[in-house]
Amino acid sequence: MSCAACVRRVERSLGDLSGVLEASVNLAAEKVSVEFDPERTDVSAVADRIRELGYEVVQTARPSGV
């Protein structure tokens, strides 16, 4: 990601994903934090959405659920 518009695009797109409660992008660190309901979505769906937007996904933490 290279700009604030990219950040908004990713946050908005993830927020539209069923089960995502909150998505926050840190542009400087090039990381996204996502809080989601594991009964409605999962890490794979979140990663797929990010890839659909044209970004690489590197999972660094295990999901803890809600």
Side-chain angles (χ1 to χ4, degrees):
M1 283 177 261
S2 59
C3 66
C6 298
V7 168
R8 284 190 302 276
R9 181 174 177 232
V10 171
E11 288 176 342
R12 185 175 299 142
S13 185
L14 289 175
D16 290 343
L17 190 62
S18 178
V20 170
L21 306 172
E22 182 178 351
S24 176
V25 174
N26 181 323
L27 179 60
E30 295 183 344
K31 293 187 180 195
V32 61
S33 298
V34 181
E35 183 179 347
F36 63 91
D37 179 347
E39 293 185 19
R40 296 178 57 205
T41 195
D42 58 20
V43 172
S44 295
V46 171
D48 288 346
R49 179 63 58 95
I50 293 169
R51 285 186 195 100
E52 288 171 7
L53 294 169
Y55 300 103
E56 181 181 357
V57 175
V58 177
Q59 186 176 330
T60 60
R62 297 293 308 160
S64 62
V66 175

